[in-house]
Structures are given as structure tokens and as C-alpha cells.
Amino acid sequence: MRVLLLKDPKDKDSGPDPYIKELGLYGFEATLIPVLSFEFISLESLFEKLSHPECYGGLVFTSPRALEAIKICLKENSKSEAWSKSLKQRWKAKKAYVVGKATASLVEEIGLAPQGEKSGNAEKLAEFICSREKPNSSSLLFPCGALKREVLPTVLKEKGIPLESLTVYQTTQHADLQESLSSYFSQQGIPASIVFFSPSGVKFCLQHIQKLSGDSISHMKFAAIGPTTAEAMEAAGVTVSCIAENPTPQDLAAGIQRALHQQNCC
């Protein structure tokens, strides 16, 4: 059975995509179609803030893209040197809060120690941060995207925990998305399941999928990587058959297996 994953492939350097690999263990033939493009902005401002760890109580990351922004900053020799010489150690003494495992591994790559990776979504991460931070302490620096949800900032504000947001990337539709979807449906046919990985993915893909699948849309099982994406799917009128218990390849593959098994039993 075929599964369509609406997400970017993992970095080419780091081997096969873990979602394709995990779904393959269940006998699924998975295909990735990149949905989003990212434009990085305010990088000078980001590095300026990173240059003053004494002004902050720690860092908050809810997206791998925010770490990509930091990595782009550190490609410059002078900035990389400053990071290696002192900044990394100074930030390492502070907390680096992350929403999930993918973000955690990127935090480790820049030499910091992540906390909160089992949270899985912004709501739970906000609770985790509130249990560890005191009100009116130093601000947490939050590099984020232009489309960030307000859940985490709102919860922290209510608890009196200062958060300084800085938009470091903007999200747009991938240039090849429509063509890639058309090509997939014409060559592979209707997949057994389609997985959305973000509310933006729902926004950019759903209309094309409805058009390409026609009446067959009722035969497909729609899956979400987490509750936030599931909410966006439901708001758009999509029946969600599976929400990954945690945003990991293992939980997603197990959830899809259960959803499709139930369908076959019925």
C-alpha cells in the first residue's frame, strides 16, 4: 500500500528519510513531496542577540527551521569562530527548550543540550517551560517563523515568564508542489493514506489533492503528525483517521498501520 508524505526530505547527507524507512518496515511504499519553501530573514539581528547570552535566560525552539537560521549564521568564519570560542559555552550554561526530537538533534549539532524534546507540541512545551522557569526572570530568546502559533507566547505571558520572539524565516508554497502532486497521482494513483506535517501543508495542498483524487478521496485515510496539524485538517473539513501519538516515524507508522487495518477489517 502506498503512503504519501507531505514533507521535506531529510538532509541528503544523513541517509534515507526515517519516515520512509519506518513505513517500509510495515510494508508501506512511502513517497515524499516537499510542500514548503523557507526564506530566512533577520539573520544579522539573530546573531547580534546570540552574541549577548548574558541578556537571556535561555533559548526556545519550536521548529527545525529556527536552528537552520542559526546554522546559516554560523557559516560565516568570523561568527563560527566567535561561537566556538566562547558563545557556545556561555549558551550551554543556559536552558535550550525544544518541542521534539528533530529539533533536539539540531540543537545538539550546534553544541547545546536540549530539554523538553518529549513535549511534542507547543502547548506541552509551554507547560514544561513554566514548570522550570520563575516569573520575571531573564527573557527566553525565541527564534521563530512568521506563521508561529500564539499558544506558547500566550501561556508564558500569563505565567509572567518573559519571552523575546524574533522572526527568522517566512514560509511559502514550494515552487514544484502542484506539479509534484499531479505527477504522483497520475503515475502512482490514489494512495491508501496521506500524511500532513503542518497546518501550512494543509493550506497549500488540500485543494490540489481534492481536485486530483475526485470521488476517490473518501477511500483515503488522512493522518496528522500532531494535534495542531489535525486541528487545521478538521477545520478544512478533512476527517482525520490517525494522529501520531508523538511526532516520530515510529508512532506515525504504527498509527497508519492501525487506521488502515481497521479499514480492512470493516
Side-chain angles (χ1 to χ4, degrees):
M1 284 192 282
R2 287 185 294 274
V3 176
L4 177 57
L5 304 171
L6 299 169
K7 71 180 282 287
D8 284 344
K10 200 176 176 206
D11 295 341
K12 294 181 182 70
D13 309 339
S14 48
D17 186 273
Y19 286 91
I20 289 185
K21 199 173 165 186
E22 191 66 30
L23 285 160
L25 298 176
Y26 284 86
F28 294 120
E29 186 188 330
T31 303
L32 294 178
I33 290 183
V35 172
L36 309 174
S37 287
F38 301 96
E39 180 194 350
F40 294 96
I41 57 173
S42 308
L43 297 184
E44 284 301 322
S45 180
L46 172 61
F47 193 75
E48 174 61 28
K49 292 177 188 299
L50 289 173
S51 300
H52 294 284
E54 71 280 2
C55 297
Y56 300 97
L59 291 155
V60 179
F61 298 106
T62 58
S63 157
R65 307 296 159 212
L67 272 306
E68 279 181 43
I70 291 178
K71 283 182 157 188
I72 292 167
C73 283
L74 299 182
K75 277 181 181 170
E76 276 185 45
N77 286 340
S78 60
K79 289 173 180 169
S80 176
E81 202 176 313
W83 180 259
S84 301
K85 263 187 178 170
S86 70
L87 291 176
K88 181 166 67 176
Q89 280 307 117
R90 288 164 69 196
W91 278 110
K92 204 170 183 178
K94 298 172 184 288
K95 300 200 176 78
Y97 294 109
V98 299
V99 77
K101 287 182 181 175
T103 314
S105 64
L106 290 169
V107 165
E108 286 167 352
E109 281 177 26
I110 61 166
L112 304 182
Q115 295 186 25
E117 63 263 34
K118 289 184 179 171
S119 304
N121 61 50
E123 288 89 339
K124 286 182 182 170
L125 180 61
E127 286 172 22
F128 182 84
I129 293 171
C130 290
S131 70
R132 280 156 178 76
E133 294 291 326
K134 294 192 176 92
N136 306 314
S137 49
S138 298
S139 291
L140 298 170
L141 179 60
F142 179 32
C144 55
L147 298 177
K148 77 172 189 307
R149 292 171 74 232
E150 291 302 320
V151 172
L152 187 139
T154 302
V155 171
L156 266 56
K157 189 177 180 182
E158 284 169 0
K159 299 287 185 183
I161 296 165
L163 184 75
E164 186 178 320
S165 302
L166 176 68
T167 301
V168 294
Y169 67 92
Q170 294 172 332
T171 308
T172 56
Q173 180 178 311
H174 194 285
D176 301 327
L177 176 62
Q178 205 167 339
E179 193 183 324
S180 299
L181 284 169
S182 299
S183 172
Y184 178 87
F185 276 85
S186 63
Q187 289 171 22
Q188 308 269 358
I190 303 294
S193 178
I194 293 181
V195 187
F196 287 98
F197 283 77
S198 68
S200 299
V202 178
K203 177 184 165 187
F204 295 139
C205 297
L206 188 58
Q207 217 173 345
H208 299 312
I209 289 167
Q210 286 167 332
K211 197 173 167 185
L212 291 162
S213 55
D215 294 337
S216 302
I217 198 161
S218 59
H219 301 307
M220 293 187 289
K221 293 288 182 187
F222 287 94
I225 194 62
T228 306
T229 302
E231 280 171 27
M233 291 162 72
E234 285 163 354
V238 175
T239 302
V240 181
S241 300
C242 157
I243 304 171
E245 208 169 301
N246 294 292
T248 65
Q250 293 76 15
D251 284 324
L252 178 69
I256 291 172
Q257 168 75 357
R258 279 194 298 273
L260 290 172
H261 181 67
Q262 283 164 2
Q263 180 186 32
N264 292 338
C265 288
C266 298

